[in-house]
Amino acid sequence: QKEVEQDPGPLSVPEGAIVSLNCTYSNSAFQYFMWYRQYSRKGPELLMYTYSSGNKEDGRFTAQVDKSSKYISLFIRDSQPSDSATYLCALTAGGTSYGKLTFGQGTILTVHP
Amino acid sequence: EAQVTQNPRYLITVTGKKLTVTCSQNMNHEYMSWYRQDPGLGLRQIYYSMNVEVTDKGDVPEGYKVSRKEKRNFPLILESPSPNQTSLYFCASSRGTPTGELFFGEGSRLTVL
């Protein structure tokens, strides 16, 4: 079993839709949860970061962590064509293990006008 | 401009011919890391370095070597490349905080024939 599972999609939605992206994980040591966005032919860039369980909102983006279920989500409201990219979840235990960062497989999202 | 620079961006080589992919960052980051990205597998960590002269294996270190003699540079060495090392490689750096916020290079696409 992979430590982090992410539905690769692809996911295609109309402009203005609410998008839900998800990851599940098996290692209960993970404490820090991140979402990266990767545009075509570019390196990933950090979108959201959360620590432990709870919600975090930044504009149209909301990151949600449920440690009891080992489940993390990224919601995009009022999606735009510029949101079309691959979204990757990334998890780390932090502390002395913060050097190891485990990524999900990535979900390809297309928002069409 | 703060950046992570990788070279070469594209390379086609043959089995067994040693090659080095260079990575340099200008942000005075302690932490640097190498990833490979393959379809359906996402980003997988090869090696990481917490600081000068400190390196450790990631999830897929076989067939790769690294060194960290200077803070700004973290080259990836393939002593005897094989076709299964054909991949898209990313170098990344961070201040070394537990958030794992990484700044990625543009990627190096390597093909081993």
Side-chain angles (χ1 to χ4, degrees):
Chain A
Q1 181 190 6
K2 290 181 181 176
E3 275 195 300
V4 180
E5 296 275 4
Q6 183 177 3
D7 186 343
L11 191 59
S12 181
V13 301
E15 183 174 355
I18 297 174
V19 176
S20 172
L21 305 165
N22 311 294
C23 288
T24 59
Y25 63 94
S26 58
N27 187 351
S28 58
F30 289 137
Q31 297 287 335
Y32 298 88
F33 308 92
M34 288 142 282
W35 286 94
Y36 281 81
R37 178 175 61 195
Q38 184 177 21
Y39 290 116
S40 180
R41 298 190 188 87
K42 295 288 187 183
E45 55 184 3
L46 183 67
L47 192 59
M48 297 279 291
Y49 141 73
T50 54
Y51 169 67
S52 199
S53 285
N55 291 0
K56 185 173 184 178
E57 191 171 316
D58 184 2
R60 298 184 293 109
F61 298 89
T62 300
Q64 195 172 77
V65 174
D66 182 349
K67 290 189 69 180
S68 62
S69 301
K70 297 189 178 66
Y71 190 86
I72 65 173
S73 302
L74 178 71
F75 298 96
I76 307 174
R77 291 185 300 279
D78 187 25
S79 55
Q80 303 294 309
S82 58
D83 294 329
S84 298
T86 297
Y87 290 81
L88 303 111
C89 60
L91 296 77
T92 180
T96 57
S97 300
Y98 78 80
K100 285 187 65 68
L101 191 62
T102 302
F103 283 84
Q105 298 95 315
T107 300
I108 300 170
L109 171 67
T110 301
V111 181
H112 51 86
Chain B
E1 181 189 353
Q3 58 186 7
V4 178
T5 304
Q6 298 179 225
N7 280 297
R9 294 288 313 280
Y10 301 91
L11 179 64
I12 299 174
T13 189
V14 295
T15 299
K17 187 176 181 180
K18 180 179 178 180
L19 68 93
T20 299
V21 186
T22 63
C23 175
S24 181
Q25 50 93 4
N26 63 0
M27 295 169 278
N28 201 36
H29 284 166
E30 290 84 18
Y31 175 88
M32 297 185 75
S33 184
W34 276 101
Y35 294 85
R36 60 179 289 175
Q37 188 171 36
D38 302 288
L41 297 176
L43 279 164
R44 292 180 293 166
Q45 192 175 39
I46 303 171
Y47 270 96
Y48 63 94
S49 170
M50 308 288 256
N51 214 322
V52 176
E53 303 290 3
V54 181
T55 63
D56 209 346
K57 296 176 180 178
D59 295 317
V60 288
E62 296 77 20
Y64 304 95
K65 286 176 61 177
V66 294
S67 68
R68 187 91 182 273
K69 293 183 169 55
E70 304 166 283
K71 198 172 189 179
R72 64 182 293 127
N73 296 323
F74 190 44
L76 179 69
I77 303 158
L78 286 73
E79 293 271 5
S80 183
S82 62
N84 64 13
Q85 292 179 297
T86 292
S87 188
L88 179 59
Y89 291 86
F90 286 100
C91 180
S93 73
S94 82
R95 290 176 297 159
T97 63
T99 64
E101 179 179 356
L102 295 174
F103 294 86
F104 283 84
E106 296 275 280
S108 296
R109 184 165 292 282
L110 171 65
T111 301
V112 183
L113 302 175

